Amino acid sequence: MLRRLLLQSPVLCMAPAIVRAQSPRDEFDLGPSGAMSIQELEREPVHVTLDQPYALTTNPRQRLDLYLPRERHRGPLPVIVYVHGGGWMHGDKADGAARLMDFVRGGYYAGVSVGYRLSGEAPWPAPLHDVKAAVRWVRGNADRLGLDPARIGVWGRGAGAHLALMLGTTANVSRLEGTLGEHRQHSSQVRAVANFFGPTDLSVLERGADTPEGRLLGGAVRDRLALAREASPVAHASTATPPVLTVHGTLDRTVPFSQAARLDDALHKAGTKSYLVTIDGGAHGDFGSSADDRLGSLFDRELLGMDREVSVAPVIWAQR
């Protein structure tokens, strides 16, 4: 990402390039994995803390990975929280390593990749309670870690994007906050949301009980309409919602592009910032450097206060 490299110091630009480890392709996210091996992580100019519990439990899903730059350009640091995809059924927080590293190694951001309970273990609203507890953990430990509790952004892909959007739209909805962790006095509010091809209105996804959304809700959407609406970011859009960047492919068969359009419409009606980037010809997965540049611009603008334009020009995608 050339834009990000230009922000880095000459010394840190000499750091090894990211090599993304190969892993089985997730049927709900057609992009490559963001996992990195321990050897790759050790070569990066970052301090890494893996498997940090955030919910006062021993559940391995309720842990986060923390990435802090060894050399900081300014402090306390804003934080980018990453939420992995996988249809709420699969996936792992390890996917956040390489995806966050491009931000963290430059010294301008801290990164947090969050694990959460999957639908096979605990249905809605358990995964939302988990990611909210993780954000509260970040705030509760901000002073100790040199983080800025007022500058937390969140980024997700697929089901992770849905949870990221719910973080952005429900900070003031007490019934969805949950009671996990030791930092319940802190807010789960975030300052910016990046939504990469996430579901936004579950109430119109009528595809039966044996689907990702059906397993999340504990039954077919048509039989769980009230719950589906509660679990839909579009239902909670308000003036309190932070700026949202949405990146979505027009040929996405897993999460229809209409989901992105519904969110964009709801956010505009609510009077909050919505940046919808259409990937013309894109499916459900990675979209290359154009999407990454929009992501970087969002966080630089909203978390660093830089004068960055978040372009909404459509991207023409040619599958490789």
Side-chain angles (χ1 to χ4, degrees):
M1 187 188 296
L2 179 59
R3 183 199 56 78
R4 180 68 46 196
L5 292 175
L6 291 175
L7 286 176
Q8 297 175 2
S9 71
V11 172
L12 291 181
C13 282
M14 298 296 290
I18 294 174
V19 179
R20 299 188 179 185
Q22 297 300 310
S23 65
R25 178 172 286 188
D26 184 343
E27 63 179 304
F28 299 104
D29 186 346
L30 300 183
S33 169
M36 299 175 69
S37 69
I38 294 298
Q39 292 77 18
E40 289 168 334
L41 287 173
E42 288 175 346
R43 292 196 293 268
E44 294 290 347
V46 299
H47 297 290
V48 179
T49 302
L50 301 178
D51 296 324
Q52 168 65 51
Y54 60 76
L56 289 180
T57 72
T58 59
N59 190 325
R61 299 294 313 186
Q62 293 174 314
R63 297 181 182 181
L64 58 82
D65 295 338
L66 175 66
Y67 303 97
L68 300 174
R70 292 178 187 168
E71 296 187 32
R72 303 180 182 216
H73 284 272
R74 59 177 74 178
L77 292 174
V79 183
I80 299 174
V81 175
Y82 178 80
V83 189
H84 70 81
W88 309 284
M89 301 160 55
H90 306 289
D92 191 272
K93 60 183 171 56
D95 183 57
R99 303 190 194 283
L100 289 168
M101 200 61 62
D102 189 51
F103 292 96
V104 177
R105 67 153 65 94
Y108 290 90
Y109 295 97
V112 170
S113 188
V114 177
Y116 54 91
R117 287 169 291 173
L118 303 176
S119 58
E121 176 184 357
W124 183 263
L128 179 60
H129 289 171
D130 288 353
V131 295
K132 282 177 173 284
V135 172
R136 294 195 301 265
W137 183 92
V138 171
R139 280 208 165 85
N141 289 276
D143 289 344
R144 177 176 67 85
L145 297 172
L147 308 178
D148 188 340
R151 293 187 292 163
I152 301 175
V154 61
W155 169 29
R157 297 162 59 89
H162 163 263
L163 295 174
L165 287 166
M166 290 299 293
L167 277 173
T169 56
T170 66
N172 299 317
V173 182
S174 58
R175 73 178 185 278
L176 292 177
E177 196 66 26
T179 58
L180 292 170
E182 60 181 319
H183 303 290
R184 294 193 297 272
Q185 74 276 22
H186 292 287
S187 169
S188 63
Q189 190 171 25
V190 296
R191 194 155 165 177
V193 179
N195 158 37
F196 276 34
F197 45 89
T200 69
D201 189 350
L202 274 59
S203 71
V204 299
L205 296 177
E206 299 186 15
R207 299 185 290 203
D210 193 24
T211 60
E213 62 273 13
R215 295 181 185 185
L216 175 71
L217 300 173
V221 168
R222 63 180 173 273
D223 300 324
R224 301 281 194 278
L225 271 179
L227 198 62
R229 292 189 184 102
E230 178 188 78
S232 296
V234 295
H236 303 282
S238 72
T239 54
T241 302
V244 175
L245 166 69
T246 296
V247 181
H248 210 121
T250 58
L251 300 184
D252 192 330
R253 297 181 182 178
T254 304
V255 180
F257 179 79
S258 58
Q259 291 280 298
R262 283 176 177 270
L263 177 68
D264 186 58
D265 183 60
L267 293 173
H268 281 298
K269 287 180 178 177
T272 192
K273 289 182 183 177
S274 176
Y275 306 98
L276 174 56
V277 178
T278 300
I279 310 296
D280 191 1
H284 192 72
D286 277 311
F287 307 122
S289 60
S290 294
D292 293 339
D293 288 344
R294 315 294 174 89
L295 176 71
S297 295
L298 174 77
F299 289 139
D300 285 351
R301 179 183 180 90
E302 301 299 334
L303 302 185
L304 293 183
M306 300 180 69
D307 184 16
R308 296 282 182 186
E309 176 188 0
V310 183
S311 172
V312 294
V315 175
I316 306 299
W317 178 247
Q319 293 287 353
R320 294 178 176 83

